Amino acid sequence: MKPGNTVLSSFGTTVFQRVNSLAAEHGALNLGQGAPDEDGPPDVVEAAVRALQEGGDANQYPPLLGLSELRRAIARHDARFYGLDLDLDGEVLVTSGATEALASCFLGLIEPGDEVVLIEPLYDSYLPMVLRSGGVPKPVRMEPPGWDLPREALAAAFSERTKLIVLNSPHNPAGKVFDADELAFVAGLLERFDAYAVCDEVYEHLVFDGAEHTPLMTLPGMRDRCVRIGSAGKTFSVTGWKIGYAVGCPRLMTAVVKAHQFLLFTVAPNLQKAVAYGLGKDDASFRALADRMQAKRDRLAAGLGGIGLEVLSSRGTYFLTVDFRPLGFTGDDEAFCRHITVEAGVAAVPVSAFYQEGDVDHFARFCFCKHDDVLDGAVERLARHFG
Ligand code: PMP
Ligand code: GLN
């Protein structure tokens, strides 16, 4: 039999699916995949239901770029929070989650042989889709516990052949929110090497302790060099909806839209209507979600710290990273995550899954976007297990 595509088939099943399966098999409390166990804001959910029942254009193919009411809502959202001025007829695209926005960026922008700078730890879809698009990855590493941006290595990774960098801020799994100085450094490299940035900003509204998320796109000279990606899944705690968006200048978006047109053409209109409604909600409701998540982060951090795990700082996202060596566990992170799932009934994600190789092998990622009793239950189970 002839093989399928060798680039994609060289990757195994995604870590999130593996962790979910093992958790289900062992009845573990699942703090692995970043999926909230709440239903999202009732008014946003009702807007989706209403749209379905009203029918009409809510049940048929929407336009290629997405419903104009959602594109308008995205443009207004980006104006309100970031001062961006976006043209909804050429600079805004609705996608099936951030995942498809990323894939469309890679397929639409990368020419075979183009170099693509990737910052590890990296989200699982970047590398396979960059490779499938013909890109040549140039990885640089941020490492726990500090997750510092390695500026020298980053500068060295750029060359005349660099087409783009993928920048994820707030960062999964590091919980790092890139600061003004780091963003300016990246912006300088993009200008120097005439390169672009695909900015994965799905956790834009999940920032804590007064941290501010600044899109790279808002820095001087960056408006036409960045595609900014968001996800309603994170912003409204409805990860299964898979409504995302990408915004950027017409020259970049024309290429991205070409890929989207042949991958999907368009995405569920009733959900688009609901997200349009949700993006119009007041600032306080966006802040309220972050405050709730910050309280959950603190709750889980206190619990895991109380058991003796070394909890690293997290200023954004759904995730906390811990160093488990203080517990006396001597295996690697894969072994630790399997061990706590099977023996203690708590699932987490090994941080090495976000690296291609190397020795970051004693950190685990715990997700805190869960009901308080689930977080408390997980801490209790770990406490009981580790004595
Ligand atoms: N990027 C990052 C950094 C993520 O953590 C996720 C996780 N969901 C995604 C992209 C994908 O987002 P979506 O579910 O909207 O496709
Ligand atoms: N973004 C989620 C995480 O990091 C997972 C999404 C997925 O399963 N593809 O946990």
Side-chain angles (χ1 to χ4, degrees), residues 41-44 80-81 236 276-286:
D43 53 344
V44 174
R80 166 160 56 133
F81 288 102
F236 302 111
Y277 164 81
L279 287 175
K281 291 180 70 166
D282 61 11
D283 291 10
S285 61
F286 290 87

Side-chain angles (χ1 to χ4, degrees), residues 16 34 96-100 102 123 125-126 168 170-172 200 202-203 230-234 239 242-244 319 365:
F16 306 112
S96 181
T99 307
E100 191 252 326
L102 287 159
Y123 185 62
S125 78
Y126 300 167
N168 172 214
H171 190 281
N172 171 16
D200 179 345
V202 299
Y203 300 101
S231 170
K234 318 293 174 189
T239 57
K242 298 297 280 189
I243 300 290
F319 309 112
R365 189 196 80 173

Side-chain angles (χ1 to χ4, degrees), residues 357-375:
E357 55 190 24
D359 54 2
V360 176
D361 61 359
H362 49 275
F363 294 90
R365 189 196 80 173
F366 287 84
C367 160
F368 51 77
C369 59
K370 302 289 178 186
H371 288 305
D372 287 349
D373 57 343
V374 174
L375 299 177

Side-chain angles (χ1 to χ4, degrees), residues 2 23 71 97 107 117 121 129 131 161 198 208 219 227 241 250 259 261 281 291 329-330 343-344 365 386:
K2 292 176 182 168
R71 282 183 285 124
L107 291 168
V117 179
M129 292 312 292
L131 288 169
R161 292 178 300 281
V198 171
F208 315 130
L219 269 68
V227 178
W241 284 18
Q261 141 174 307
K281 291 180 70 166
D291 290 346
F329 190 90
T330 52
E343 305 297 336
R365 189 196 80 173
F386 287 105

Side-chain angles (χ1 to χ4, degrees), residues 170-173 175 203 206-208 293 314-319 368:
H171 190 281
N172 171 16
Y203 300 101
L206 295 171
V207 290
F208 315 130
M293 287 301 158
S314 167
R315 305 195 73 208
T317 74
Y318 286 151
F319 309 112
F368 51 77

Side-chain angles (χ1 to χ4, degrees), residues 301-333:
L304 296 177
I307 301 170
L309 289 154
E310 188 190 326
V311 181
L312 310 192
S313 111
S314 167
R315 305 195 73 208
T317 74
Y318 286 151
F319 309 112
L320 273 181
T321 295
V322 304
D323 182 340
F324 53 77
R325 287 174 306 181
L327 293 181
F329 190 90
T330 52
D332 67 11
D333 58 348

Side-chain angles (χ1 to χ4, degrees), residues 45-218:
V45 174
E46 273 157 28
V49 172
R50 218 170 31 245
L52 265 187
Q53 288 175 335
E54 279 167 7
D57 64 354
N59 290 323
Q60 305 304 336
Y61 289 134
L64 167 64
L65 299 180
L67 292 180
S68 60
E69 68 188 89
L70 176 52
R71 282 183 285 124
R72 188 170 303 111
I74 292 165
R76 285 191 179 144
H77 166 278
D78 280 20
R80 166 160 56 133
F81 288 102
Y82 310 123
L84 288 167
D85 180 14
L86 295 165
D87 176 0
L88 53 142
D89 293 319
E91 296 196 308
V92 182
L93 173 69
V94 178
T95 60
S96 181
T99 307
E100 191 252 326
L102 287 159
S104 292
C105 285
F106 300 148
L107 291 168
L109 295 173
I110 295 171
E111 192 61 9
D114 283 348
E115 293 183 358
V116 175
V117 179
L118 297 171
I119 301 175
E120 293 183 296
L122 48 86
Y123 185 62
D124 73 339
S125 78
Y126 300 167
L127 184 64
M129 292 312 292
V130 164
L131 288 169
R132 190 69 182 91
S133 306
V136 179
K138 293 283 156 185
V140 298
R141 294 167 73 87
M142 300 195 301
E143 298 211 353
W147 306 113
D148 293 324
L149 185 69
R151 295 186 189 216
E152 245 175 70
L154 187 63
F158 274 77
S159 79
E160 294 311 318
R161 292 178 300 281
T162 305
K163 175 60 81 59
L164 57 91
I165 183 174
V166 184
L167 188 71
N168 172 214
S169 182
H171 190 281
N172 171 16
K176 173 189 173 98
V177 181
F178 284 73
D179 66 24
D181 202 49
E182 291 168 321
L183 293 176
F185 185 77
V186 174
L189 291 172
L190 295 187
E191 289 205 306
R192 194 163 126 213
F193 291 97
D194 185 22
Y196 304 123
V198 171
C199 301
D200 179 345
E201 303 183 2
V202 299
Y203 300 101
E204 59 188 316
H205 289 294
L206 295 171
V207 290
F208 315 130
D209 306 325
E212 271 202 32
H213 166 62
T214 306
L216 182 63
M217 183 181 263
T218 61

